[in-house]
Amino acid sequence: MKLTIIGASGSFPGPGSPASCYLVTAEGPDRDGTGTRTWRILMDLGNGALGTLQRYMALEDIDAVLVSHLHPDHCMDLCGLHVAIRWNPYGWNGVHVPVHGPAATAERMATAYGLEQDPGMTEEFAFQHWQARQPVRIGPFTITPYPVRHPIDEAYALRVETEEDGPEGETVRKVLTYSGDTDSCDGLVEAARDADLFLCEAAFQEGRDDGIDGVHLTGRRAGQAATDAGARRLLLTHLPVWTDPLAASIEARQTYDGHLAVAVSGVTYRI
């Protein structure tokens, strides 16, 4: 399994990165079971991400979009993808791209684009609603959503698992957890339990944002969540332009002693 950072900027696109979007790829059986292929899923598709994404893949090759919650910096480029599917003169062969997200996803996207609710974007997307802690299978991926603490009706951390062949032919389970947007909560730790890589937001800063509860993590709180979960690697993300990556890393190091880095648009990690 590989993770490519498309967008890692918090709350809105920054000068060096779009808003939240993460490309996850893995090899698995093709749909008819006659061979293998590369499967590609997106965790979030925030504003500015669709353009950068095309540096790394063709839009026609998206197997699914996984939406953590319905704030614009995590979902608004679904509007652009809708246009790409609907108006591409060469067609998408009738494919409805699966979009897994909160219950209001279809309604929210239709409203954002000024469409009638029926059909909205249902002719381009196959909308599926997350059910808390209920796994969803997409090719080689098993994705489980965990409710987290953020000021919106539904917000989820996503646990993505694959099974791969180990060096001696044994089956090895790999786990990538994405926090979405959240403050500290039990659901976040549950989602990240024993993760090989924990992609965790750290938008806030200790001493600066202490009066704001239930919105975002600081580097220190992200580090504590990674420690509590036993995560093997911590990758900080969703830093807005006013949060210093070095400061976030220093905070995280106070509570986490494992492998630590800050997400940068364009970098790929093997999990």
Side-chain angles (χ1 to χ4, degrees), residues 40-270:
R40 299 170 176 87
I41 58 175
L42 301 176
M43 299 189 300
D44 283 340
L45 191 56
N47 42 338
L50 195 66
T52 301
L53 176 65
Q54 293 171 77
R55 300 174 188 170
Y56 303 95
M57 65 174 295
L59 298 182
E60 293 88 345
D61 291 333
I62 297 171
D63 287 300
V65 181
L66 317 176
V67 178
S68 67
H69 67 289
L70 294 178
H71 282 153
D73 58 318
H74 293 261
C75 68
M76 200 49 62
D77 269 20
L78 281 169
C79 289
L81 184 59
H82 151 77
V83 172
I85 297 171
R86 183 171 183 82
W87 297 108
N88 185 334
Y90 303 104
W92 278 41
N93 298 319
V95 172
H96 285 57
V97 175
V99 175
H100 297 261
T105 303
E107 176 184 352
R108 175 64 189 278
M109 300 321 300
T111 299
Y113 204 74
L115 300 173
E116 296 292 335
Q117 292 296 320
D118 186 12
M121 295 184 182
T122 60
E123 294 178 344
E124 293 75 41
F125 299 130
F127 291 101
Q128 305 291 329
H129 302 161
W130 292 128
Q131 302 294 325
R133 296 178 175 81
Q134 296 300 307
V136 172
R137 183 80 178 184
I138 302 171
F141 305 106
T142 300
I143 304 103
T144 307
Y146 290 82
V148 291
R149 193 160 66 106
H150 195 57
I152 194 169
D153 286 344
E154 292 182 67
Y156 297 96
L158 303 177
R159 183 181 178 92
V160 181
E161 301 176 74
T162 61
E163 291 187 348
E164 303 176 9
D165 292 334
E168 298 181 6
E170 76 278 19
T171 299
V172 178
R173 183 173 65 105
K174 297 293 183 179
V175 179
L176 163 66
T177 296
Y178 169 46
S179 67
D181 281 4
T182 182
D183 203 341
S184 300
C185 62
D186 292 342
L188 178 65
V189 175
E190 186 179 356
R193 183 73 64 196
D194 298 324
D196 295 285
L197 192 153
F198 184 19
L199 178 65
C200 188
E201 71 117 295
F204 280 178
Q205 187 170 308
E206 297 286 329
R208 185 191 69 191
D209 305 308
D210 295 352
I212 309 172
D213 180 64
V215 179
H216 289 297
L217 297 163
T218 62
R220 181 181 179 87
R221 296 202 293 269
Q224 189 62 59
T227 295
D228 293 345
R232 295 175 180 86
R233 299 164 68 189
L234 175 60
L235 185 60
L236 302 178
T237 193
H238 198 270
L239 275 63
V241 295
W242 48 71
T243 295
D244 179 17
L246 179 59
S249 298
I250 291 171
E251 286 186 11
R253 184 54 75 202
Q254 295 170 5
T255 54
Y256 179 73
D257 61 4
H259 186 280
L260 173 66
V262 176
V264 175
S265 179
V267 176
T268 296
Y269 298 84
R270 173 126 190 155

